[in-house]
Amino acid sequence: MSSRSDHVAAARAQRQLPRPTPDAPPDFRAWIRAGALAASSHNTQPWRVRIDPEIPAILIQPDDDRRCPRVDPNDAHLFKSLGCMAENIRIAAGVNGFDCEIDVCGDTPDIRLTFHRREGPGELERYRAIAVRQCTRSAYDASPLSSAEREALSAAGRGQGVRTLVLEGAESIESVVRFVERGNVTQLDDAGFRRELTRWIRFNPESALEHADGLSAVVMGQPSLPQWLGRAISGLVLKAGPQNRRDAEHIRSSSALAVLVAERDEVPSWVETGRVVQRLTLTATALDLKHAYINQPIEVPELRAEFARWLGRGAEHPLLMLRIGRAAAAPYSLRRPLEAYLAVPAEG
Ligand SMILES: Cc1cc2nc3c(=O)[nH]c(=O)nc-3n(C[C@H](O)[C@H](O)[C@H](O)COP(=O)(O)O)c2cc1C
Protein backbone atom coordinates (compact mmCIF):
# COMPACT_ATOMS: atom_id res chain seq x y z
CA MET A 1 0.00 0.00 0.00
CA SER A 2 1.32 3.42 -0.96
CA SER A 3 1.12 6.13 1.65
CA ARG A 4 0.85 9.89 1.72
CA SER A 5 4.62 10.10 2.18
CA ASP A 6 5.19 8.06 -1.03
CA HIS A 7 2.92 10.56 -2.84
CA VAL A 8 4.86 13.53 -1.42
CA ALA A 9 8.24 11.93 -2.31
CA ALA A 10 7.15 11.10 -5.89
CA ALA A 11 5.85 14.63 -6.49
CA ARG A 12 9.09 16.07 -5.11
CA ALA A 13 11.22 13.82 -7.37
CA GLN A 14 9.22 14.98 -10.42
CA ARG A 15 10.12 18.57 -9.57
CA GLN A 16 13.92 18.14 -9.75
CA LEU A 17 14.72 20.26 -12.80
CA PRO A 18 18.24 20.62 -14.27
CA ARG A 19 20.33 23.68 -13.44
CA PRO A 20 20.18 26.45 -16.06
CA THR A 21 22.91 25.75 -18.66
CA PRO A 22 22.84 28.47 -21.33
CA ASP A 23 25.71 26.99 -23.40
CA ALA A 24 24.75 23.30 -23.28
CA PRO A 25 23.14 21.37 -26.16
CA PRO A 26 19.31 21.39 -26.20
CA ASP A 27 17.81 19.04 -23.63
CA PHE A 28 14.36 18.49 -25.18
CA ARG A 29 13.31 15.85 -22.67
CA ALA A 30 14.12 18.10 -19.71
CA TRP A 31 12.17 20.97 -21.34
CA ILE A 32 9.17 18.71 -21.85
CA ARG A 33 9.33 17.47 -18.24
CA ALA A 34 9.27 21.11 -17.14
CA GLY A 35 6.37 21.61 -19.56
CA ALA A 36 4.37 18.83 -17.91
CA LEU A 37 4.62 20.56 -14.51
CA ALA A 38 2.21 23.15 -15.92
CA ALA A 39 -1.39 23.45 -14.73
CA SER A 40 -4.04 21.48 -16.62
CA SER A 41 -7.79 21.31 -16.16
CA HIS A 42 -8.58 18.52 -13.59
CA ASN A 43 -4.84 17.62 -13.94
CA THR A 44 -5.84 15.65 -17.04
CA GLN A 45 -2.44 16.41 -18.68
CA PRO A 46 -4.26 16.30 -22.05
CA TRP A 47 -1.13 16.36 -24.22
CA ARG A 48 0.75 14.24 -26.72
CA VAL A 49 4.23 15.49 -27.54
CA ARG A 50 6.70 14.91 -30.42
CA ILE A 51 10.28 16.10 -30.80
CA ASP A 52 11.79 16.96 -34.18
CA PRO A 53 15.50 17.38 -33.35
CA GLU A 54 16.41 18.41 -36.94
CA ILE A 55 14.41 21.67 -37.07
CA PRO A 56 14.57 21.73 -33.92
CA ALA A 57 10.92 21.76 -32.87
CA ILE A 58 8.47 20.31 -30.36
CA LEU A 59 4.89 19.58 -31.36
CA ILE A 60 2.14 19.51 -28.72
CA GLN A 61 -1.16 17.87 -29.72
CA PRO A 62 -4.37 17.34 -27.77
CA ASP A 63 -4.98 13.86 -26.32
CA ASP A 64 -8.64 13.24 -27.17
CA ASP A 65 -8.89 10.47 -24.56
CA ARG A 66 -8.39 13.12 -21.89
CA ARG A 67 -11.17 15.49 -22.94
CA CYS A 68 -13.79 16.56 -20.38
CA PRO A 69 -16.84 17.14 -22.58
CA ARG A 70 -19.21 18.03 -19.74
CA VAL A 71 -17.25 20.88 -18.17
CA ASP A 72 -15.35 21.76 -21.36
CA PRO A 73 -17.54 20.90 -24.38
CA ASN A 74 -15.60 23.07 -26.86
CA ASP A 75 -12.12 22.05 -25.54
CA ALA A 76 -11.30 25.62 -24.48
CA HIS A 77 -9.81 24.47 -21.15
CA LEU A 78 -7.95 21.70 -22.98
CA PHE A 79 -6.22 24.20 -25.29
CA LYS A 80 -5.52 26.55 -22.38
CA SER A 81 -3.81 23.60 -20.65
CA LEU A 82 -1.68 23.00 -23.76
CA GLY A 83 -0.80 26.71 -23.72
CA CYS A 84 0.32 26.37 -20.07
CA MET A 85 2.62 23.51 -21.09
CA ALA A 86 4.00 25.45 -24.09
CA GLU A 87 4.87 28.41 -21.87
CA ASN A 88 6.79 26.24 -19.39
CA ILE A 89 8.72 24.69 -22.28
CA ARG A 90 9.55 28.15 -23.66
CA ILE A 91 10.90 29.23 -20.28
CA ALA A 92 12.91 26.00 -19.79
CA ALA A 93 14.43 26.33 -23.29
CA GLY A 94 15.24 29.97 -22.52
CA VAL A 95 17.54 29.10 -19.58
CA ASN A 96 19.17 26.46 -21.84
CA GLY A 97 20.09 29.26 -24.30
CA PHE A 98 17.23 28.99 -26.83
CA ASP A 99 14.54 31.40 -27.94
CA CYS A 100 11.23 29.73 -28.67
CA GLU A 101 8.52 30.70 -31.16
CA ILE A 102 5.06 29.28 -30.49
CA ASP A 103 2.49 28.87 -33.30
CA VAL A 104 -0.89 27.21 -33.56
CA CYS A 105 -1.14 25.35 -36.87
CA GLY A 106 -2.85 22.53 -38.78
CA ASP A 107 -6.34 21.11 -38.55
CA THR A 108 -5.98 19.27 -35.22
CA PRO A 109 -4.82 22.03 -34.38
CA ASP A 110 -1.28 21.50 -33.05
CA ILE A 111 1.00 23.79 -31.13
CA ARG A 112 4.41 24.02 -32.72
CA LEU A 113 7.42 25.30 -30.80
CA THR A 114 10.57 26.13 -32.78
CA PHE A 115 13.90 27.00 -31.18
CA HIS A 116 16.86 29.25 -32.08
CA ARG A 117 20.15 29.69 -30.21
CA ARG A 118 20.61 33.07 -28.57
CA GLU A 119 22.69 34.86 -25.91
CA GLY A 120 21.54 35.64 -22.38
CA PRO A 121 20.45 33.87 -19.21
CA GLY A 122 16.67 33.58 -19.89
CA GLU A 123 13.90 34.02 -17.30
CA LEU A 124 15.64 32.51 -14.29
CA GLU A 125 13.07 33.43 -11.63
CA ARG A 126 10.19 32.01 -13.62
CA TYR A 127 12.23 28.90 -14.42
CA ARG A 128 12.86 28.28 -10.71
CA ALA A 129 9.16 28.87 -10.03
CA ILE A 130 8.13 26.05 -12.42
CA ALA A 131 9.01 23.42 -9.80
CA VAL A 132 7.51 25.40 -6.90
CA ARG A 133 4.21 26.54 -8.47
CA GLN A 134 1.08 24.75 -7.32
CA CYS A 135 -2.63 25.37 -6.97
CA THR A 136 -3.20 25.93 -3.25
CA ARG A 137 -6.85 25.31 -2.41
CA SER A 138 -6.78 26.32 1.28
CA ALA A 139 -7.87 29.57 2.95
CA TYR A 140 -5.36 32.42 2.53
CA ASP A 141 -4.42 35.11 5.07
CA ALA A 142 -6.51 37.97 3.56
CA SER A 143 -3.57 40.40 3.51
CA PRO A 144 -3.67 42.98 0.68
CA LEU A 145 -1.33 42.97 -2.32
CA SER A 146 1.46 45.56 -2.31
CA SER A 147 1.47 47.95 -5.27
CA ALA A 148 4.67 46.28 -6.56
CA GLU A 149 2.93 42.88 -6.48
CA ARG A 150 -0.15 44.25 -8.23
CA GLU A 151 1.97 45.80 -10.99
CA ALA A 152 4.07 42.65 -11.46
CA LEU A 153 0.91 40.50 -11.77
CA SER A 154 -0.77 42.87 -14.25
CA ALA A 155 2.41 43.00 -16.38
CA ALA A 156 2.83 39.20 -16.36
CA GLY A 157 -0.87 38.82 -17.17
CA ARG A 158 -0.63 40.48 -20.59
CA GLY A 159 -0.38 38.67 -23.92
CA GLN A 160 -1.51 39.00 -27.52
CA GLY A 161 -5.16 40.00 -27.25
CA VAL A 162 -5.27 38.80 -23.62
CA ARG A 163 -5.07 40.78 -20.40
CA THR A 164 -5.66 40.32 -16.71
CA LEU A 165 -8.09 42.31 -14.58
CA VAL A 166 -7.07 42.41 -10.92
CA LEU A 167 -10.14 42.68 -8.66
CA GLU A 168 -9.84 43.80 -5.05
CA GLY A 169 -12.23 45.29 -2.51
CA ALA A 170 -15.22 43.85 -0.70
CA GLU A 171 -17.84 44.84 -3.27
CA SER A 172 -16.14 43.04 -6.18
CA ILE A 173 -15.25 40.05 -4.04
CA GLU A 174 -18.85 39.63 -2.81
CA SER A 175 -20.18 39.82 -6.37
CA VAL A 176 -17.75 37.09 -7.45
CA VAL A 177 -18.79 34.96 -4.44
CA ARG A 178 -22.39 35.13 -5.68
CA PHE A 179 -21.42 34.18 -9.25
CA VAL A 180 -19.36 31.23 -7.98
CA GLU A 181 -22.24 30.07 -5.74
CA ARG A 182 -24.67 30.12 -8.66
CA GLY A 183 -22.10 28.23 -10.78
CA ASN A 184 -21.72 25.56 -8.09
CA VAL A 185 -25.49 25.04 -7.91
CA THR A 186 -25.71 24.51 -11.69
CA GLN A 187 -22.64 22.28 -11.90
CA LEU A 188 -23.21 20.14 -8.81
CA ASP A 189 -26.90 19.62 -9.63
CA ASP A 190 -25.78 18.08 -12.93
CA ALA A 191 -25.23 14.32 -12.61
CA GLY A 192 -23.11 14.31 -15.80
CA PHE A 193 -20.80 16.98 -14.37
CA ARG A 194 -20.45 15.07 -11.08
CA ARG A 195 -19.74 11.81 -12.93
CA GLU A 196 -17.02 13.41 -15.06
CA LEU A 197 -15.42 15.11 -12.04
CA THR A 198 -15.51 11.89 -10.01
CA ARG A 199 -13.73 10.06 -12.84
CA TRP A 200 -10.72 12.32 -12.25
CA ILE A 201 -10.68 12.16 -8.43
CA ARG A 202 -7.98 9.90 -6.95
CA PHE A 203 -9.42 9.13 -3.53
CA ASN A 204 -6.22 7.73 -1.95
CA PRO A 205 -2.43 7.92 -2.45
CA GLU A 206 -2.26 4.50 -4.11
CA SER A 207 -4.75 5.44 -6.80
CA ALA A 208 -3.05 8.84 -7.28
CA LEU A 209 0.35 7.16 -7.75
CA GLU A 210 -1.07 4.49 -10.05
CA HIS A 211 -2.64 7.06 -12.44
CA ALA A 212 -0.21 9.97 -11.79
CA ASP A 213 -2.91 12.41 -12.96
CA GLY A 214 -6.26 13.74 -11.79
CA LEU A 215 -7.32 15.41 -8.56
CA SER A 216 -5.66 13.69 -5.64
CA ALA A 217 -7.27 13.67 -2.18
CA VAL A 218 -3.77 14.21 -0.74
CA VAL A 219 -3.44 17.48 -2.71
CA MET A 220 -7.01 18.61 -2.00
CA GLY A 221 -6.54 18.10 1.77
CA GLN A 222 -9.23 15.40 1.91
CA PRO A 223 -9.21 12.13 3.86
CA SER A 224 -8.06 8.99 2.09
CA LEU A 225 -10.82 6.52 1.04
CA PRO A 226 -10.88 3.30 -0.96
CA GLN A 227 -11.53 4.28 -4.59
CA TRP A 228 -14.84 2.32 -4.71
CA LEU A 229 -16.09 4.02 -1.54
CA GLY A 230 -15.09 7.50 -2.76
CA ARG A 231 -17.00 6.87 -5.99
CA ALA A 232 -20.00 5.48 -4.12
CA ILE A 233 -20.38 8.48 -1.80
CA SER A 234 -19.30 11.22 -4.21
CA GLY A 235 -22.96 12.08 -4.89
CA LEU A 236 -23.38 12.79 -1.17
CA VAL A 237 -20.18 14.81 -0.89
CA LEU A 238 -20.29 16.85 -4.12
CA LYS A 239 -23.09 19.19 -3.03
CA ALA A 240 -23.52 22.89 -3.65
CA GLY A 241 -24.17 23.80 0.04
CA PRO A 242 -20.81 22.76 1.54
CA GLN A 243 -18.93 23.71 -1.65
CA ASN A 244 -20.43 27.22 -1.51
CA ARG A 245 -19.47 27.68 2.14
CA ARG A 246 -15.89 26.60 1.40
CA ASP A 247 -15.55 28.68 -1.76
CA ALA A 248 -16.98 31.82 -0.12
CA GLU A 249 -14.54 31.50 2.78
CA HIS A 250 -11.62 30.89 0.42
CA ILE A 251 -12.47 33.76 -1.94
CA ARG A 252 -12.92 36.19 0.98
CA SER A 253 -9.53 35.13 2.40
CA SER A 254 -7.73 36.01 -0.86
CA SER A 255 -5.69 39.15 -1.48
CA ALA A 256 -7.10 39.61 -4.99
CA LEU A 257 -8.90 37.90 -7.85
CA ALA A 258 -7.45 37.81 -11.36
CA VAL A 259 -9.71 37.47 -14.39
CA LEU A 260 -8.09 36.76 -17.76
CA VAL A 261 -10.08 38.32 -20.58
CA ALA A 262 -9.42 37.85 -24.29
CA GLU A 263 -10.49 39.67 -27.45
CA ARG A 264 -11.38 36.39 -29.17
CA ASP A 265 -12.90 33.10 -28.05
CA GLU A 266 -11.18 30.53 -30.31
CA VAL A 267 -8.24 28.10 -30.29
CA PRO A 268 -5.26 30.50 -30.75
CA SER A 269 -6.71 32.77 -28.09
CA TRP A 270 -7.22 29.83 -25.67
CA VAL A 271 -3.60 28.76 -26.18
CA GLU A 272 -2.42 32.34 -25.62
CA THR A 273 -4.56 32.56 -22.45
CA GLY A 274 -2.93 29.35 -21.17
CA ARG A 275 0.51 30.84 -21.84
CA VAL A 276 -0.47 34.05 -20.03
CA VAL A 277 -1.96 32.30 -16.99
CA GLN A 278 1.12 30.13 -16.67
CA ARG A 279 3.36 33.24 -16.80
CA LEU A 280 1.10 35.01 -14.32
CA THR A 281 1.09 32.13 -11.83
CA LEU A 282 4.86 31.61 -12.13
CA THR A 283 5.33 35.32 -11.42
CA ALA A 284 2.98 35.03 -8.43
CA THR A 285 4.96 32.00 -7.22
CA ALA A 286 8.26 33.89 -7.56
CA LEU A 287 6.68 36.60 -5.34
CA ASP A 288 5.74 33.91 -2.79
CA LEU A 289 2.03 34.30 -3.58
CA LYS A 290 -0.30 31.30 -3.94
CA HIS A 291 -3.17 30.85 -6.38
CA ALA A 292 -6.19 28.63 -7.12
CA TYR A 293 -8.67 28.62 -10.00
CA ILE A 294 -12.34 29.59 -9.54
CA ASN A 295 -13.80 29.17 -13.01
CA GLN A 296 -17.45 28.39 -12.32
CA PRO A 297 -18.86 31.69 -13.74
CA ILE A 298 -16.86 31.05 -16.92
CA GLU A 299 -17.66 27.34 -17.25
CA VAL A 300 -21.43 27.65 -16.82
CA PRO A 301 -22.78 28.98 -20.14
CA GLU A 302 -25.82 30.67 -18.55
CA LEU A 303 -23.55 32.74 -16.29
CA ARG A 304 -20.77 33.61 -18.65
CA ALA A 305 -22.34 36.50 -20.60
CA GLU A 306 -23.73 37.97 -17.38
CA PHE A 307 -20.27 37.70 -15.78
CA ALA A 308 -18.71 39.47 -18.81
CA ARG A 309 -21.30 42.27 -18.53
CA TRP A 310 -20.66 42.59 -14.79
CA LEU A 311 -16.93 42.92 -15.50
CA GLY A 312 -17.84 45.76 -17.88
CA ARG A 313 -16.06 44.02 -20.75
CA GLY A 314 -18.88 43.61 -23.26
CA ALA A 315 -16.56 42.88 -26.20
CA GLU A 316 -14.01 40.76 -24.31
CA HIS A 317 -14.39 37.16 -23.20
CA PRO A 318 -13.58 36.12 -19.63
CA LEU A 319 -11.60 32.87 -20.06
CA LEU A 320 -10.12 32.09 -16.63
CA MET A 321 -10.39 33.32 -13.03
CA LEU A 322 -8.01 32.78 -10.13
CA ARG A 323 -7.75 33.83 -6.55
CA ILE A 324 -4.33 34.98 -5.33
CA GLY A 325 -2.95 35.40 -1.83
CA ARG A 326 -0.69 34.17 0.92
CA ALA A 327 -0.83 30.70 2.50
CA ALA A 328 1.34 27.72 3.45
CA ALA A 329 2.16 25.30 0.64
CA ALA A 330 -0.05 22.22 0.10
CA PRO A 331 1.17 18.79 -1.08
CA TYR A 332 2.05 18.78 -4.79
CA SER A 333 0.11 17.02 -7.54
CA LEU A 334 1.59 14.17 -9.61
CA ARG A 335 2.50 13.93 -13.29
CA ARG A 336 2.60 10.95 -15.66
CA PRO A 337 6.01 9.73 -16.84
CA LEU A 338 7.37 11.21 -20.08
CA GLU A 339 6.94 7.88 -21.90
CA ALA A 340 3.16 8.10 -21.42
CA TYR A 341 2.80 11.12 -23.71
CA LEU A 342 6.06 11.48 -25.69
CA ALA A 343 6.00 9.81 -29.12
CA VAL A 344 9.30 8.15 -29.86
CA PRO A 345 10.53 9.23 -33.33
CA ALA A 346 10.85 6.41 -35.88
CA GLU A 347 14.46 5.22 -36.35
CA GLY A 348 16.49 5.84 -39.51
C1 LIG B 1 -7.65 25.65 -18.02
C2 LIG B 1 -7.60 25.25 -16.57
C3 LIG B 1 -8.78 25.23 -15.82
C4 LIG B 1 -8.73 24.88 -14.47
N1 LIG B 1 -9.89 24.93 -13.72
C5 LIG B 1 -9.84 24.68 -12.41
C6 LIG B 1 -10.99 24.83 -11.59
O1 LIG B 1 -12.07 25.23 -12.06
N2 LIG B 1 -10.90 24.54 -10.26
C7 LIG B 1 -9.71 24.14 -9.69
O2 LIG B 1 -9.68 23.92 -8.48
N3 LIG B 1 -8.60 24.00 -10.44
C8 LIG B 1 -8.63 24.27 -11.77
N4 LIG B 1 -7.49 24.18 -12.52
C9 LIG B 1 -6.24 23.78 -11.86
C10 LIG B 1 -5.91 22.30 -12.08
O3 LIG B 1 -6.81 21.48 -11.38
C11 LIG B 1 -4.45 22.06 -11.63
O4 LIG B 1 -3.60 22.78 -12.47
C12 LIG B 1 -4.09 20.59 -11.67
O5 LIG B 1 -4.81 19.88 -10.71
C13 LIG B 1 -2.59 20.37 -11.41
O6 LIG B 1 -2.23 20.88 -10.17
P1 LIG B 1 -1.11 22.02 -10.01
O7 LIG B 1 -1.51 23.20 -10.83
O8 LIG B 1 -1.08 22.31 -8.53
O9 LIG B 1 0.19 21.44 -10.49
C14 LIG B 1 -7.49 24.52 -13.87
C15 LIG B 1 -6.33 24.54 -14.63
C16 LIG B 1 -6.37 24.92 -15.97
C17 LIG B 1 -5.10 24.97 -16.78
Side-chain angles (χ1 to χ4, degrees):
M1 275 291 272
S2 309
S3 65
R4 191 177 188 279
S5 57
D6 297 325
H7 186 301
V8 169
R12 187 180 301 132
Q14 293 173 348
R15 283 169 176 74
Q16 304 298 318
L17 295 182
R19 286 171 181 284
T21 47
D23 301 321
D27 188 346
F28 299 110
R29 293 168 73 87
W31 302 351
I32 295 166
R33 273 201 199 92
L37 293 178
S40 65
S41 181
H42 287 357
N43 196 21
T44 49
Q45 306 165 39
W47 39 69
R48 294 185 194 278
V49 181
R50 280 175 192 282
I51 302 170
D52 187 336
E54 300 303 321
I55 295 182
I58 290 175
L59 205 63
I60 306 176
Q61 299 176 306
D63 181 342
D64 286 340
D65 296 340
R66 294 177 167 267
R67 296 182 64 237
C68 292
R70 202 73 189 200
V71 69
D72 188 27
N74 62 355
D75 291 334
H77 275 356
L78 186 152
F79 281 101
K80 290 170 214 167
S81 304
L82 302 189
C84 292
M85 175 187 233
E87 188 63 12
N88 267 14
I89 295 178
R90 184 191 68 77
I91 293 167
V95 303
N96 196 177
F98 287 83
D99 265 340
C100 170
E101 225 169 84
I102 301 178
D103 300 298
V104 178
C105 46
D107 291 337
T108 311
D110 309 327
I111 304 172
R112 188 182 157 92
L113 295 80
T114 42
F115 303 96
H116 308 275
R117 252 304 171 208
R118 63 121 173 77
E119 300 286 309
E123 298 171 32
L124 288 170
E125 287 192 354
R126 286 201 187 119
Y127 178 66
R128 291 193 193 101
I130 287 174
V132 183
R133 188 206 61 81
Q134 61 166 224
C135 291
T136 312
R137 295 180 178 86
S138 56
Y140 300 169
D141 74 1
S143 59
L145 292 182
S146 69
S147 47
E149 287 168 340
R150 194 174 300 119
E151 274 165 37
L153 295 174
S154 298
R158 253 177 243 134
Q160 262 193 333
V162 178
R163 64 205 180 95
T164 299
L165 311 172
V166 178
L167 308 181
E168 294 165 283
E171 209 178 310
S172 302
I173 302 280
E174 289 310 313
S175 298
V176 169
V177 166
R178 284 191 293 278
F179 274 112
V180 169
E181 287 174 344
R182 288 167 62 198
N184 280 334
V185 170
T186 305
Q187 290 186 324
L188 294 174
D189 272 359
D190 173 0
F193 174 90
R194 289 198 310 270
R195 233 184 342 267
E196 182 176 87
L197 177 60
T198 305
R199 181 185 153 218
W200 289 100
I201 299 179
R202 313 295 173 227
F203 288 96
N204 58 65
E206 193 162 39
S207 165
L209 282 158
E210 182 195 338
H211 293 274
D213 62 11
L215 301 166
S216 162
V218 173
V219 175
M220 313 286 279
Q222 284 159 6
S224 176
L225 292 173
Q227 195 69 12
W228 67 265
L229 181 58
R231 289 221 167 106
I233 65 167
S234 65
L236 300 173
V237 176
L238 295 172
K239 286 212 176 289
Q243 188 65 43
N244 279 346
R245 281 191 287 282
R246 213 167 23 242
D247 283 347
E249 186 210 342
H250 288 175
I251 293 168
R252 290 180 183 129
S253 75
S254 303
S255 307
L257 307 180
V259 186
L260 281 82
V261 295
E263 288 165 13
R264 304 186 72 93
D265 189 20
E266 58 192 18
V267 175
S269 176
W270 300 335
V271 172
E272 180 69 11
T273 301
R275 292 186 58 193
V276 170
V277 83
Q278 192 64 21
R279 209 153 56 230
L280 173 72
T281 55
L282 291 175
T283 300
T285 303
L287 293 167
D288 208 15
L289 292 166
K290 300 291 191 292
H291 66 275
Y293 289 76
I294 37 168
N295 287 325
Q296 294 90 326
I298 292 161
E299 290 166 350
V300 172
E302 303 87 303
L303 287 180
R304 208 166 150 204
E306 189 183 333
F307 187 56
R309 275 198 302 281
W310 174 77
L311 286 167
R313 309 283 143 194
E316 285 171 304
H317 304 271
L319 292 184
L320 284 174
M321 179 158 61
L322 308 163
R323 59 190 184 95
I324 294 176
R326 284 171 250 274
Y332 282 93
S333 59
L334 294 165
R335 296 297 185 275
R336 291 177 299 147
L338 198 63
E339 298 68 40
Y341 54 86
L342 179 65
V344 179
E347 302 223 1

